[in-house]
Amino acid sequence: MMRFDLVDLNLFRHIVEAGSITHGAERANLALAAASTRIRAMEESLGAALLLRGRQGVSPTPAGRALLAHAREILGQIERMQGDLSVFAGGAVGQIRVLSNTNALTEFLPEALSAYLALHTGVSVDIEEKTSDEIVWLVADGAADLGIVAGTVDTGTLQTFPFRHDRFVLVVAAGHALAARAQVGFAEVLEHDLVGLDRPSALTRFLSDKAARIGRPMRLRVQLRSFDAVCRLVECGVGLGIVPETTARRARRGMEIAMVPLEDAWAARDLKLCLRALDALPPFAQDFVAHLRG
């Protein structure tokens, strides 16, 4: 007889979405040994393997994919129940799972999150950075409640709402030869040394893909964790940087850098929210979407 509890289902969901038992256990707040024991017990109870284990991590077997679909449905129902009942307990309680591209995560979400969480003290928000293409299929697959993606990406049958507008620009040291240009193409930028975010970041992977399509490598001299740090090293002449225009305008107030618009069409960033169905979200998550739209 199969005996899976909610901790098992939540753990299994996290493991599959992280592609790792170790990282899935961390997300579920379980020790690795306890998580491994639970997964083995689930497989023994079912009588079939749930995960394919390899050097690069884990992936679900056909049985695991079936279990994942049911786990997401059950856990989603539990979250909606908690949201519906929380009004009787003095306030909303629950978690919202959000996937965001780099631009929205660094430039627009911090202030929006701060205002929302101040009003909803029982709600937590789990945010993970992904590329826009990854976000669309993960939201469609039920791995997150909400995604924030570039307006140019095909969202298929997902429900969408406008979010914000921004664009990527080139930042250079004030005395650089490109500082006086009215605009510049990404292909020309690739002729120079660059300062950027670390390689796992969604933006770096996005720009690397654009460079590969042109047939040129990105010469990343330094990789950092924030756009502000990128601007600081650009000011020191280490290389050129590509950052959101909002970042560049803010950084120019205290740094000796110049901002040059990119002429490439993909540099324009109309961001949008995407989700499977607004009315299927718990009330507190619907409030969060309304807050972002406002």
Side-chain angles (χ1 to χ4, degrees):
M1 180 179 179
M2 290 182 289
R3 297 183 180 274
F4 302 157
D5 60 24
L6 292 178
V7 176
D8 290 334
L9 297 180
N10 187 52
L11 170 65
F12 187 73
R13 179 182 70 178
H14 282 308
I15 287 174
V16 174
E17 291 175 359
S20 161
I21 295 178
T22 300
H23 293 154
E26 291 174 355
R27 293 184 183 184
N29 296 314
L30 290 173
L32 177 59
S36 297
T37 298
R38 280 183 174 272
I39 293 299
R40 285 197 299 271
M42 292 171 69
E43 291 179 321
E44 290 173 1
S45 175
L46 177 63
L50 294 170
L51 296 171
L52 295 172
R53 297 158 172 84
R55 291 185 177 181
Q56 302 302 317
V58 298
S59 59
T61 64
R65 288 194 293 271
L67 175 61
L68 179 63
H70 287 290
R72 285 173 172 165
E73 182 177 355
I74 292 169
L75 293 169
Q77 290 175 340
I78 295 295
E79 291 167 0
R80 287 191 291 275
M81 179 189 72
Q82 290 174 334
D84 290 340
L85 295 179
S86 64
V87 296
F88 302 103
V93 177
Q95 183 182 63
I96 306 170
R97 294 170 297 154
V98 179
L99 300 177
S100 173
N101 65 9
T102 307
N103 196 6
L105 180 61
T106 57
E107 288 301 310
F108 300 115
L109 274 179
E111 290 183 359
L113 276 173
S114 175
Y116 174 83
L117 293 175
L119 297 173
H120 300 78
T121 56
V123 177
S124 63
V125 180
D126 178 10
I127 303 178
E128 188 173 354
E129 181 185 350
K130 296 285 185 181
T131 64
S132 291
D133 288 335
E134 290 171 330
I135 292 170
V136 168
W137 68 260
L138 285 169
V139 170
D141 200 36
D145 302 306
L146 175 68
I148 306 177
V149 299
T152 54
V153 71
D154 181 6
T155 53
T157 60
L158 294 178
Q159 191 173 2
T160 63
F161 302 98
F163 179 51
R164 297 289 189 276
H165 174 78
D166 201 4
R167 63 179 296 116
F168 287 121
V169 297
L170 179 72
V171 287
V172 301
H176 194 276
L178 293 178
R181 292 278 293 274
Q183 60 180 3
V184 63
F186 184 56
E188 185 176 353
V189 172
L190 291 174
E191 298 173 2
H192 301 265
D193 291 336
L194 298 174
V195 178
L197 300 182
D198 53 7
R199 294 193 184 278
S201 76
L203 176 59
T204 297
R205 288 184 287 140
F206 173 80
L207 293 176
S208 296
D209 178 69
K210 294 299 180 185
R213 292 173 186 270
I214 296 173
R216 296 182 183 178
M218 284 180 60
R219 289 157 39 187
L220 275 174
R221 295 295 304 280
V222 181
Q223 298 163 54
L224 303 159
R225 300 300 298 272
S226 74
F227 286 129
D228 289 335
V230 168
C231 291
R232 182 70 181 94
L233 264 70
V234 167
E235 181 187 29
C236 295
V238 175
L240 314 185
I242 293 177
V243 302
E245 184 176 12
T246 48
T247 299
R249 291 188 181 280
R250 183 175 64 249
R252 280 196 311 179
R253 293 197 289 266
M255 300 182 195
E256 295 295 322
I257 60 174
M259 179 180 74
V260 186
L262 289 169
E263 62 187 20
D264 304 80
W266 53 258
R269 307 294 285 182
D270 282 315
L271 302 174
K272 59 186 176 182
L273 310 175
C274 65
L275 59 158
R276 291 184 303 284
L278 181 61
D279 57 6
L281 294 177
F284 62 84
Q286 295 184 36
D287 289 344
F288 182 59
V289 174
H291 176 77
L292 293 181
R293 294 178 64 189

